[in-house]
Amino acid sequence: MSRLIVVSNRVSAPMDPAAGSVGGLAMALSSALRKYDGLWFGWSGETVEKFVPEAKIEDRAGVTVALVDLEPQDVDEYYNGYANKTLWPLFHHRVDLTAYERSYGEGYERTNARFAEVLAPLIRPDDVIWIHDYHMIPLARDLRRRGIKNRIGFFLHTPWPARQLLVTLPHHRRLVESMFSYDLIGFHTREWLDLFRDYVASEPEVRGKLLPNDALEAFGRTVQAGVFPIGIDVEGFLRARNSVFGRRTYDRMAASSAFRTMMVGVDRLDYSKGLEQRLLGYEQFLTDNPDMRGDVFLLQVTPISRDEVDTYQDIRSRLEGLAGRINGEFADMDWQPIRYLNRTYRRDQLAGIYRAAKVGLVTPLRDGMNLVAKEYVAAQNPEDPGVLVLSRFAGAAEQMGEALLVNPFSREELSDAIKRALTMPLAERRRKWECLMECVRETDVSIWRDDFVASLRAIDRPADGDSDPAARAA
């Protein structure tokens, strides 16, 4: 069987069982690479004074990885710049935070061309290539320009933006055109795919055709698109939940919340996660329900990320001030309404924390999927499960309709959902949990992985690589 080459911005394989959601994804991809005798390619995370177009090949727990170092300018313009200051906020509908700097776009194009320069010599004629996420959208085009005719698939781990917002991006047409060098494009949800199709069919500069079975024709090429909802490593997470460390964490949290009900939120520090809105909704709940004060508290776990970006420094400062204000207004001598933590926890620790929480708050303003929602469900005690409060703007909401779906922009709606979750009868909690857990099992990360790879392998490529406009333009 042909090799599978996985390409991502950072090579994270393999992860140990203590890792969280990202670790579950890394382990699933690592398993596929072992199965197909594959290769994982990406940035090493290191910088060098002068770029060297050569990969460092290593073996990591049976997975062959190919690492490339970048120049500091590449990291600043490609990663910190275009990826995290331009595409990330834009794809999450935050045009107000999007930086449209020409140097960022130039660095993005240059760095992806460098990735292609290093990767192309490693590719064998029958390899299948799977490229991940917004960091590397043009990579297939750059590989085609170097004569690569293999099947190449792309999976987007974020939402796709509405057309009216995407057109604020300079050279948006060029970005989308580069995606037609792929054979298969995968999205988390039907909504993200439909937004992509709307751009292709409606943008005056494109005017592409929508073909049956979600294929699209534009820029002289046809590409297959599809919905591939990602999930968690269910069995791995259940093992973590039932491990000695998982049970010990549960016991510790249960003891620390004795006589009180714990709610939990676990989110990377990011403006897309709706953290400020969540705290304001919780504040509204405390205001609306004075009789429940002292009986409930929120454990908000928020690991710091991208702290070198000014926007993230600002949100960290605002959250700390907001949590402090709410605690100052409502706390009593033996009760604090919010426990706000800026640190990471192992997957088995998180499983224990989730299991001890009677309410899980997953309320992003916009999210590609959100695997915390699925982890929270998987961690629950079937006999006495907690309740998931889920933003309708998370990708997971498309699958997890039995959660309490909320508009995270409305503090009153959040307040009402928190109260309903805390007072929900056991029979209703069990019924909802059973439906949600069935969804979690049906979207296991290994199913997502195998479905995408099988779909990519099934695509017939033209015999002549010059049929690709990217190859002709080279």
Side-chain angles (χ1 to χ4, degrees):
M1 183 176 289
S2 60
R3 292 192 312 172
L4 174 67
I5 296 181
V6 169
V7 183
S8 61
N9 173 60
R10 296 283 190 98
V11 174
S12 53
M15 301 293 287
D16 66 43
S21 301
V22 173
L25 170 61
M27 285 188 285
L29 293 176
S30 298
S31 175
L33 292 169
R34 294 186 189 98
K35 177 179 178 181
Y36 300 121
D37 184 30
L39 174 73
W40 197 321
F41 175 88
W43 176 36
S44 65
E46 302 296 329
T47 59
V48 290
E49 183 176 345
K50 183 173 178 56
F51 173 74
V52 177
E54 185 175 316
K56 298 179 291 186
I57 308 298
E58 300 177 4
D59 182 279
R60 296 187 179 179
V63 176
T64 302
V65 300
L67 307 173
V68 59
D69 299 332
L70 297 177
E71 293 179 8
Q73 184 180 3
D74 295 334
V75 176
D76 184 56
E77 295 176 349
Y78 148 75
Y79 182 70
N80 293 329
Y82 201 78
N84 289 328
K85 292 182 181 179
T86 303
L87 292 185
W88 177 268
L90 176 61
F91 282 17
H92 289 84
H93 280 196
R94 292 302 303 269
V95 178
D96 57 316
L97 299 177
T98 303
Y100 301 107
E101 299 288 341
R102 182 173 296 174
S103 63
Y104 292 168
E106 292 170 349
Y108 184 73
E109 293 281 333
R110 180 185 66 251
T111 305
N112 272 281
R114 287 181 164 183
F115 285 140
E117 181 182 4
V118 179
L119 177 59
L122 304 177
I123 297 173
R124 302 171 185 170
D126 61 345
D127 286 341
V128 173
I129 305 160
W130 188 7
I131 296 170
H132 288 263
D133 225 1
Y134 60 99
H135 308 82
M136 295 179 154
I137 290 174
L139 185 54
R141 178 203 63 193
D142 294 332
L143 289 171
R144 301 293 186 207
R145 288 174 173 174
R146 287 163 174 79
I148 300 302
K149 302 176 183 180
N150 303 54
R151 294 180 182 88
I152 308 178
F154 175 78
F155 187 81
L156 182 66
H157 290 261
T158 68
W160 183 263
R163 175 172 57 89
Q164 294 83 351
L165 299 182
L166 183 59
V167 296
T168 66
L169 178 71
H171 307 297
H172 55 87
R173 183 186 184 277
R174 182 174 67 191
L175 185 74
V176 175
E177 182 177 5
S178 72
M179 298 177 72
F180 277 74
S181 291
Y182 290 98
D183 298 292
L184 175 63
I185 303 172
F187 298 88
H188 282 300
T189 72
R190 184 76 228 177
E191 180 181 355
W192 312 148
L193 172 55
D194 285 345
L195 288 173
F196 179 73
R197 287 165 59 83
D198 175 67
Y199 175 94
V200 171
S202 305
E203 178 57 25
E205 297 181 14
V206 180
R207 293 297 184 190
K209 296 180 181 178
L210 304 183
L211 305 178
N213 301 316
D214 290 325
L216 302 102
E217 182 181 319
F219 312 108
R221 279 212 70 217
T222 300
V223 66
Q224 180 64 53
V227 177
F228 299 87
I230 195 171
I232 65 171
D233 173 14
V234 178
E235 293 306 317
F237 194 81
L238 293 178
R239 286 194 299 272
R241 183 195 70 181
N242 297 328
S243 68
V244 172
F245 210 179
R247 294 196 304 270
R248 185 181 302 162
T249 303
Y250 167 78
D251 291 340
R252 177 182 174 187
M253 295 309 302
S256 74
S257 58
F259 311 113
R260 294 191 173 98
T261 300
M262 183 175 78
M263 304 188 297
V264 69
V266 177
D267 311 81
R268 179 175 55 81
L269 182 67
D270 192 276
Y271 45 78
S272 69
K273 301 302 183 182
L275 296 171
E276 292 175 89
Q277 291 80 359
R278 181 182 307 166
L279 295 188
L280 290 171
Y282 180 46
E283 180 184 35
Q284 187 70 48
F285 166 79
L286 296 173
T287 301
D288 294 343
N289 301 277
D291 57 314
M292 300 184 75
R293 298 176 195 169
D295 295 332
V296 61
F297 71 93
L298 169 63
L299 175 66
Q300 180 59 52
V301 180
T302 307
I304 304 301
S305 69
R306 301 171 185 164
D307 204 30
E308 69 281 357
V309 179
D310 292 344
T311 304
Y312 290 83
Q313 297 171 6
D314 292 342
I315 189 175
R316 179 179 182 181
S317 177
R318 292 198 303 272
L319 282 171
E320 289 171 351
L322 183 56
R325 179 176 65 76
I326 293 172
N327 280 336
E329 180 178 354
F330 293 98
D332 207 338
M333 64 180 71
D334 63 344
W335 170 69
Q336 183 168 292
I338 300 174
R339 300 181 188 176
Y340 178 69
L341 307 176
N342 290 134
R343 58 167 295 181
T344 58
Y345 289 92
R346 295 159 47 108
R347 182 165 60 155
D348 43 14
Q349 289 178 298
L350 287 175
I353 292 171
Y354 293 142
R355 192 175 181 86
K358 294 303 181 183
V359 179
L361 296 178
V362 181
T363 56
L365 305 181
R366 194 165 181 84
D367 225 341
M369 175 55 67
N370 197 296
L371 298 183
V372 168
K374 297 187 176 185
E375 289 181 341
Y376 177 78
V377 169
Q380 295 307 298
N381 175 3
E383 299 303 315
D384 186 21
V387 178
L388 174 64
V389 177
L390 179 63
S391 166
R392 64 178 62 252
F393 304 121
E398 189 171 283
Q399 307 162 10
M400 306 180 79
E402 286 297 325
L404 296 186
L405 298 182
V406 297
N407 173 7
F409 294 94
S410 169
R411 65 172 70 187
E412 290 87 359
E413 193 168 324
L414 274 169
S415 171
D416 293 344
I418 290 171
K419 183 174 182 180
R420 184 183 171 195
L422 290 169
T423 59
M424 185 178 292
L426 176 60
E428 185 178 1
R429 285 190 279 124
R430 283 179 175 171
R431 179 186 62 78
K432 285 182 172 294
W433 177 83
E434 288 170 358
C435 293
L436 290 170
M437 191 61 192
E438 182 179 1
C439 164
V440 170
R441 290 190 179 279
E442 289 176 349
T443 58
D444 184 275
V445 69
S446 62
I447 296 174
W448 163 80
R449 175 200 69 200
D450 292 343
D451 282 352
F452 189 95
V453 173
S455 297
L456 180 56
R457 289 182 183 277
I459 291 175
D460 290 329
R461 276 203 54 76
D464 182 1
D466 288 342
S467 61
D468 192 312
R472 294 198 304 269

